[in-house]
Amino acid sequence: MCLFCKIVNREIPSNHVQENEDFFAFHDINPKAPVHVLVIPKIHYNSFNDISGDLMGKMGTFMQEVAKTVGVDQSGYRIISNIGENGGQEVKHLHFHLLGGAKLKWGHFSDADPKDFF
Ligand code: AMP
């Protein structure tokens, strides 16, 4: 069983934020912003590649609720999902990072020069 499945099953403790029948939200253990919540489906999917449009729609609604719960819905926030090797995905259970609580920078994403791809 993967790390995030164990968190859903409460075999590993987490700093819980909110859950419903399908999804679970908890604070990231290594926050990159004042608010950094991870949102995951309770059923295991390896990544965003594997989720249906129907479940993604429900997950979007749940993430809107989480943004309200942690108080960033009006101030603004960012949602990111890292996918696979080049995306930098470390935990192979679909998750969205919900980041906020401060003005976020637009990062330096790659050592490659984007102009080389056009
Ligand atoms: P990613 O690189 O997109 O796969 O992100 C994985 C995230 O999971 C990282 O931001 C980690 O800090 C976070 N993480 C790993 N283990 C835990 C844990 N036990 N509880 C909360 N967050 C975790």
Side-chain angles (χ1 to χ4, degrees):
M1 190 182 286
C2 89
L3 174 66
F4 286 178
C5 284
K6 286 181 180 167
I7 285 178
V8 170
N9 287 341
R10 291 178 164 81
E11 290 173 35
I12 292 176
S14 71
N15 192 352
H16 174 266
V17 173
Q18 186 170 338
E19 69 185 298
N20 68 14
E21 191 184 341
D22 296 317
F23 307 107
F24 193 95
F26 56 103
H27 292 281
D28 196 293
I29 205 168
N30 182 21
K32 304 281 195 296
V35 172
H36 186 172
V37 174
L38 297 175
V39 181
I40 65 176
K42 289 186 171 177
I43 293 176
H44 183 96
Y45 296 90
N46 287 332
S47 83
F48 176 77
N49 281 340
D50 305 312
I51 192 170
S52 72
D54 182 47
L55 197 61
M56 188 60 229
K58 291 177 181 162
M59 199 165 181
T61 300
F62 181 72
M63 288 192 281
Q64 290 170 340
E65 293 166 7
V66 171
K68 281 186 190 156
T69 298
V70 296
V72 299
D73 57 312
Q74 296 304 313
S75 53
Y77 58 100
R78 188 174 294 161
I79 289 171
I80 297 172
S81 188
N82 298 325
I83 301 151
E85 176 75 22
N86 278 0
Q89 183 180 5
E90 288 177 4
V91 179
K92 305 298 189 279
H93 181 130
L94 167 63
H95 53 282
F96 284 84
H97 299 256
L98 193 158
L99 299 140
K103 184 94 175 165
L104 301 175
K105 292 180 179 163
W106 188 242
H108 174 73
F109 294 115
S110 162
D111 290 334
D113 186 343
K115 294 189 197 76
D116 292 343
F117 294 90
F118 296 101

